[in-house]
Structures are given as C-alpha cells and as structure tokens.
Amino acid sequence: MTTSLTLSRQLLPYFLAIFFASLHTCLAKPAIASLYAQHCESIAPESSPTKLLFGASNSFLISDGFFSAGNSTNHYLFPSPSTDHPFIHDSPPPSIFHFKPGPVHLTHDDGTLQLEGSLVLVGAMLPITRSGGISWSSNNRRRVIFKLSGFWSEAKGKLCMVGTGEFQPPQHDPIASTLSAVLKLEFPKVSKIRTSIIKGSIESLDIETSSTHFESISLLAYAQRRYNYTVTEQAEESCSNLPNEETAASDSMSVCSNIQNIMQYESFTSSDLINFLGFRFLSTSQLVCSDDGKVHMSMLLSNKTTRRWYGIPILPGKSLVAEGVWDHHNNKLCLIACSIIGKANNLSVVEDCSLGITFWFPSYFSLKQRSSMVGRMWNMSNKGTDNDGHRIFSLYSTENYISSSVPGLKYNYTELERARKYCEIKNTNPKKTGKYPDVQSYMDMRFDLSVNDGKGRSEWGNAQLISVGETYLGNQYGGATDSMYVTGGTTIPSGSSMVDQSNTTWDVGYTLSYSFWDGNNSDSVQISAEGIYNSTTGTLCLIGCRKPNFRHTIHGEILNSSARIDDRNLDCGYFIRLQFPPIDSKNVKGKGTIKSTRAKSDPLYFKQLEVTFSLMYRSYSMQEYDRMDAEMIMVIISLTLLCACTYLQLRHSRRHSTICHLMSITMLVVLTLGCMVSIILNTEAMIVRARKDHPFLRSGGWFETTNAIARLFNMIALLINIRILQLAWSARSKEEATGAITRGAEKKSLVVCAPLYIIGALIAWFVHSRSSKTRRAILEDLARYVGLMVDSFLLPQIIFNVFSQSNEKVLSPFFYFGATLNRVVPHIYNIYRAWWYPGNFYNPSNIYAGHADDYYSTLFDVIIPLEGMLFVFLVHLQQKFGGRCFLPKRFKHGADHEPVYGSNI
C-alpha cells in the first residue's frame, strides 16, 4: 500500500501537466475559431472540412518571399529591418519568409479549402563589429515561426489564416513569447504573368498595449506554382524580328538543365542598363522550366552583384517578372518581362509588360567574350532602329562558366600575334635537362598563385586553363585545387589545333583571378587571357584583358560608380609571363610577372606584379599515392614488430621470474604511456590528417582498414606492457632481501630521469606556447613529446642498472634491440623521404613517421638513431659485464650498497 501511494505521488505532477495541456488545447480551439470569424469571415468564409485532398499542399508552397516590417526602429520582432539587398562579399541576405503548407481538406462549400501551415519569418542578419572588421552571424538573426490554420477561397483568390507564433530571439535574449496573428494573402488559383505575385500581410491580434503586440508586416512573393503561360507566342514573335546570332546548338532534352544551371541566381549587366532601367545588374531567380521549353522567372534590378547561392526574393519597385519559351530553331530563350510597381509590398502591382529579353548560349569563347550567356533587351513599345541605344542593347552574364553539356563550344584566338611579340623564349641550354608539363595532361596546368604588388600586399588567387587549341575545357573538372586528384580522362583530343606541329608550342586560354584587400575595401581582379605555351622550356606567355569589376566596400557600396562594365571597355594592356618548374625537379615553385603594356603616362598603367605559384603535378600526385600506400603497410609492419618484441619480453619475464624485480618501473611506465597516447591521439589524427590533406584518396576502405589494424596492434602492445609492469611490480614487492636496494635504485634513477623529462617538457611548452594553439594542437604537441620520451625508453633501465650494479639479463635482446629499431627506422626513413619527396605547397600528410607522432627534423633524425644505438650497446654491456662496466674504475665499486643479483640465467 505504501509503495502504491509513493508511486502515485511521483506520477501526480505528470498527470497534472497532461491535464492542463489538454485543457489549454480545448480552450484554444474555440478562441482561434472566434478569432477567425472576427478577422477572416469576409475574406474566406469558414466551412466544415469533409476529406483530405492529396497532393494539393505544393500548390500553396512559397519560398524566398520578402517581408518588410516598416520603417519603425522599435518594431517588436524586427527592430532594424533591411529593405535593401546587400548581396556583396560577406553581407547577409535580406529579410525573407517561407510558407510551408500542411494538410489540405475539402469542405462542404465548393471552392473553399481548409489548410494548415507554417509561416517562417527570418530577419536580416545584424552586423557584429570585431577586431577583424564587420562580420555576420546566424546567431544574430531573428526568426519567428507561426503555426496557422484557415481557409482559401477559390472565387476570391484569397487566403486567410489565424494562429500563434513562437519568437526565437538571438542568443542570450530573455524575450520569448507566444504571439497571436492573422495572415492575409492574395493567392489566386492559377497565376499569369500579371498576377504572378503573392502579396499580403501578417498582423498581430494582441491588443496594442500588450508586450507581444507588433506592427503589421507586409509580405511579397513570386508565385511559382500553377502557372498559366499567356505571352509565349508574343515573346517568340518579338524575338523573330531581331538579327540572327551565332548561337550554340542545344539538345532539346538538356535545355532546361542548362538554363537552370546557368541562369539560376545569375547576374547580367551592360553599360546601357543603368541608362535604360536605372540599375547596373539584372539578376535572375526562382526560375521554373517545363519540359516543352516554357520558362517563367523573377528578376531583380540592383546596383550590387549577387551571390549565386542566395535565393533572391522580389522587391517592390526593383523587380521584374518574365515568361517565355525556348526557340529551338534559333537556339535562344525569348522572354517578355513586366515591372513590379509599388512603394510597399501590399501595394505592388505588375504593370508595363513592354520589355523584350532574349538570352542564348554563345557558340565560342574568346579573349573578350567570356560570358556564359549573352542576350539583348529592348523596349517593345518604342519604334526605332537598332542604333537607338535606349531601344536595343546587349546583356552579358557576370559569370565566366559555360556548362560542358553545351555542345559545339569552341575557342577563337585573337591576340596570339601580340603574345608572340612580347614573349621572348630563350634557347634551351643543352647541358640543362628538364621535362616540363604537357598541356595534353592539362590538369597540371591549373594552379593557385600568389600575387605581390610591391606595396606589401600579397594575395592568393588561381589560374584556370580553359582551352587548348580550339577545344574548350571550362571548369568541368573543378578548380585548380581539385585538378591534381583526377586520375583519368585528362588528355586533350588529338585533333586540337596548335601553333606548330612539333607538339611543343600550344595555343592556350586562361582565366586568372585574385583580390587585394585594403582595410574594409576589396579590389577584385579577374583577367581573361590567351597566348602560347612552350612545353620544351615550360614558358607560358599570355595577353590578358581585365574584366570590368566594381570595387566594393565590405558593406556593398560601389566605389568606382562611374566605371563602364561591358566588353567594349576591357583593359587589354596586360602581359603575363610564367615559368613552370620542371616535372623532375625538386623545386615545385614557379615564378612569373604580370606587366602593363601601356605607357607609364597612361592612367591604366600599373607597376610590375610578381607572381609565385606552387604545383603538384599529376605524376607527382600519383607518386604520393603510391608512397602513402607503402607507408600504410610500413605502419602495420612497425606495429607488428612492436607487438612481437613486447611479447618476447613478456615470455622472457615469465621464464625468469626471479629477476623481474630488476626491470625499471620507470621504463615500463614510459612504454605504457607511449602506447596509451598512440591509441588516444595519434592513430585517429593520422587518418583525419591524411584524408583532409589528400582529397584524391576519398575512398576510405584502405584507410579505415589501416586505422582498425593500428588500433588493434596498439591495444595489444598496451596490454602486454601492462602485464609486464604487473609482473615487475609483484616481483619487487615479494623480494624481501633485495627489496630495499632495488627500491633505492629505482628512486635514484627516477631522480635522474624526472628532471630531464620535466626540463624537456618545459622547453617544448615554451617553444609551442609562443603561437596561439587550439586544443587539438596542444594534444598533438603532447603526443610528440611523449614520442620523444619513448625514443629514449632504455635510459631509465641503464641508470637503474648503474645504481643496482645488476649484471642479470633482465631484458630480452629481441626486446631492447627490436623496440629500439622500431623507434630508429622512422627517423632514417624521414631522411630518405625528405630527399626523394621534397615538401611543397600542398604539404601532404605523412602516414608513417608522421610529424605529429614524434620530433622529426634533420637534427633529431641524426641524434635519435645514434642515441638508440648507444643505449642498445650500453644495455648489452651492462647485462654481460655489470651495471657499471662502462664507468671509470673509481666509480665501478661504490660503497653505498652491495650489488644486486638474482638467480643466474
């Protein structure tokens, strides 16, 4: 009875919590129903649901909508709204919202649907000032999630929902309240180009004096679902009046994938765009393409370039909506665009559908034509000729990437004669031999580089080989960093054209990019280049055109706002000369210069820039792959030897248990500590470092196998060492006659060794504490120092033998020689590796003799092997002639104690 009463008392709080939660739910439903009748009855009348309507939820999905909380700086939810669109550098995306619909039910009234859903409001990030400048944190971004339910009226094309919201404030903000709100949206059943925007508001239902009341928030979004195309024929007809362009042929099956891959979040620009529409950039977003080639999308007008991976919402007065169709005959996309007019979200309307736009994939790349898509824009309401700059003008994409799936793409060279004029290739010295990379293995020709402007500014960039002869390569194999990891399919087709038929001089096209930072301002440089490469001398000579680019502050403001931004104003006064290092050379660094071909009095003249770059040739990367395979095998062999030697010592100790007390406890503790540290830190770190620094070894089966074997063998060695330590400790405690002598010898050896260990640890700590260290780096430093202690594991035994004057063969020769060899061989191998595999920019991780496991340098690689051989020799002498056999005669017979002997072996 007492037990039942105690259990009831324990469960009572849980029953009460469930009861009050159920009561709150029952009371909330009538309250929500009454709120709906009060605020939504005139918009979408309430009706009783009948059955679930499957597949209807997606029709109400809204993504990447824009919301504005007004101009109030005291707004309860979003006190500092951002109505601008700061898509530049590290600036955050604007305030956006998403509507995620839940179950949709039919009702007794035809044309009325009941639905539930969640409205997610995500405010703009607020800047945080730090020592390095201004940064943005997602923790500083406010978020509100409303759980809503209501009805949608097909006849009125409106949605009304009521519910509650939970405010998720930034970290450490104590405010967290439940909000009551009503959502009102104009949501037509089928969208057309003039009705393709969804607008409305979410309003607070709390009284104005309540602490949770907030001002109305206006919503604006692009209707992506249930779209009805109405102007595609007009768009195609308008396109047909334009002159034919040289376009790339496009397979009808890949049209949509190519359009979506390139145009989604793409930016287009032209020097005439600002005069025509008042903005510098036209960015496409929320693009939808159907199988029949019909397309509709939204577009943003802005003075700031966009990040491709940001969703771009539509903004009132700054956006367009467009629809059109892909013309398979002329291989171009024909669109008609309409302006979104209005100063506020809920006042926005689609008007003025007089803009004609066409885009196509260019059939060729050249020095001045590097846009992934080009196009034209015109005002269909104006009459005039093509010479009227405000009627028809060109558009160029800001991205220089063309999908490899676009067929027939070629490269046209226009500046090869200038490249030959400035390039002076010296005759090769017959006495100097060297093999240089061949463009047929063109992944060797892509690299990262460092540019120094002579003013102390040095920044990293990259160089991409995009064409060899007429063959366009693009970025189909990724950037320069990934190029070394490709193991197949990296050769140029044999039909590619070149400067001569000796296969030594090649026509090549490049893209170079780098940025200089000056405080909070950046100067981004993108150079399109073409020229010749001589594979006999390894010399690359290029004529470059700097791509027009605005200088921005970290906040996104344009500094050089007067700059013109199309290919008619490219600065083609760049000459780049780079010298590749030989493939068979231990020097993996190349050098070069970037010069101006203009006169010094020219405003665009610049001083010579020094360029350095590091390479890991494909042949070298394959050598690295083979080396690492061999090193993994060496790790397993080394650990197998360690286990075998340790087991032989255990077997030796069992056979001669009467002399186990003469083993140094300090030596056994050091060996045990080394195995523990290896298990805890080094094995896992070895695999992590290797897989991080060598992405071309992504298949982890061999690595995981090596890791498992290494952990197993280290564990076996640890258990054997613990067992030997137990035998020595037990034997010493049982020895009554010589126990005091051996304990005294152990204490004296510890007195000698402990200061050495402490001093060494302090030196290591002082050296490595001068730079800021992470927790992981500190642990690796600890593992490295423990490795140095294990290198000298025989030192405590030698000192113990000196003080105990023991001449017993307490250590098996297989043990002390094999264990020492196991510590010496990695240092000898490191000398070999440093000679045959010189270090380079990519700093490949070492599996065997890793620098996080022990101290490896020229000095240590000489000292530690010599020290190991010396200690082995001394132990051998001590076990044959006595502990003090190598000391001068006056120290051989001390008066402090008698020699310690065990049973003869």
Side-chain angles (χ1 to χ4, degrees), residues 4 86 147 224 230 256 372 474-475 498 550 652 683:
S4 301
K147 301 292 184 180
Q224 298 171 281
T230 58
C256 276
S372 56
N475 295 331
M498 10 179 201
F550 293 120
H652 181 83
T683 305

Side-chain angles (χ1 to χ4, degrees), residues 66-84 95 214-218 316 318 343-347:
F66 173 72
F67 77 86
S68 174
N71 296 322
S72 173
T73 58
N74 297 318
H75 197 281
Y76 174 64
L77 299 183
F78 306 100
S80 300
S82 175
T83 57
D84 201 0
S95 302
F214 59 90
E215 295 182 16
S216 176
I217 297 175
S218 61
K318 297 182 180 180
K343 295 183 178 180
N345 289 354
N346 52 359
L347 299 178

Side-chain angles (χ1 to χ4, degrees), residues 632 691 697-708:
M632 285 186 281
R691 298 193 68 179
L697 300 177
R698 292 189 177 97
S699 57
W702 184 210
F703 273 91
E704 271 71 21
T705 302
T706 304
N707 185 22

Side-chain angles (χ1 to χ4, degrees), residues 316-337:
K318 297 182 180 180
S319 294
L320 306 173
V321 291
E323 78 168 59
V325 65
W326 181 264
D327 183 349
H328 291 280
H329 178 70
N330 295 312
N331 294 309
K332 62 176 63 176
L333 178 64
C334 300
L335 299 167
I336 287 182

Side-chain angles (χ1 to χ4, degrees), residues 314-524:
I314 57 176
L315 305 179
K318 297 182 180 180
S319 294
L320 306 173
V321 291
E323 78 168 59
V325 65
W326 181 264
D327 183 349
H328 291 280
H329 178 70
N330 295 312
N331 294 309
K332 62 176 63 176
L333 178 64
C334 300
L335 299 167
I336 287 182
C338 307
S339 303
I340 298 178
I341 301 174
K343 295 183 178 180
N345 289 354
N346 52 359
L347 299 178
S348 300
V349 293
V350 177
E351 290 187 357
D352 188 18
C353 297
S354 61
L355 286 178
I357 306 176
T358 181
F359 294 111
W360 64 87
F361 301 112
S363 62
Y364 65 91
F365 254 17
S366 67
L367 185 63
K368 296 184 178 181
Q369 163 46 36
R370 296 289 180 94
S371 297
S372 56
M373 288 195 81
V374 292
R376 287 183 175 179
M377 178 181 283
W378 65 96
N379 191 334
M380 296 187 299
S381 62
N382 288 347
K383 304 294 183 181
T385 63
D386 293 352
N387 294 328
D388 184 356
H390 293 282
R391 188 177 109 79
I392 299 178
F393 58 90
S394 300
L395 293 172
Y396 308 91
S397 67
T398 58
E399 291 292 329
N400 289 347
Y401 172 79
I402 296 183
S403 173
S404 58
S405 61
V406 177
L409 194 60
K410 300 292 184 180
Y411 191 95
N412 291 344
Y413 295 91
T414 58
E415 296 289 345
L416 293 179
E417 292 303 322
R418 285 186 64 200
R420 294 191 189 96
K421 174 184 176 182
Y422 289 106
C423 186
E424 296 180 2
I425 301 178
K426 298 179 180 179
N427 294 328
T428 56
N429 189 342
K431 296 182 179 180
K432 295 182 179 180
T433 59
K435 183 179 179 181
Y436 293 92
D438 193 324
V439 293
Q440 293 222 10
S441 297
Y442 60 87
M443 287 302 180
D444 288 340
M445 305 291 290
R446 295 178 173 182
F447 48 88
D448 294 323
L449 51 84
S450 175
V451 181
N452 191 315
D453 65 350
K455 301 177 182 178
R457 296 190 306 175
S458 180
E459 292 293 339
W460 284 100
N462 63 78
Q464 295 279 343
L465 176 67
I466 65 166
S467 68
V468 175
E470 292 182 352
T471 303
Y472 171 75
L473 307 176
N475 295 331
Q476 53 187 316
Y477 293 107
T481 305
D482 294 331
S483 63
M484 75 189 73
Y485 310 132
V486 178
T487 59
T490 59
T491 58
I492 303 297
S494 58
S496 299
S497 66
M498 10 179 201
V499 175
D500 59 32
Q501 299 299 321
S502 62
N503 290 0
T504 60
T505 306
W506 302 76
D507 300 342
V508 293
Y510 264 87
T511 296
L512 291 81
S513 61
Y514 54 91
S515 297
F516 289 112
W517 280 89
D518 182 12
N520 286 335
N521 302 329
S522 74
D523 186 10
S524 179

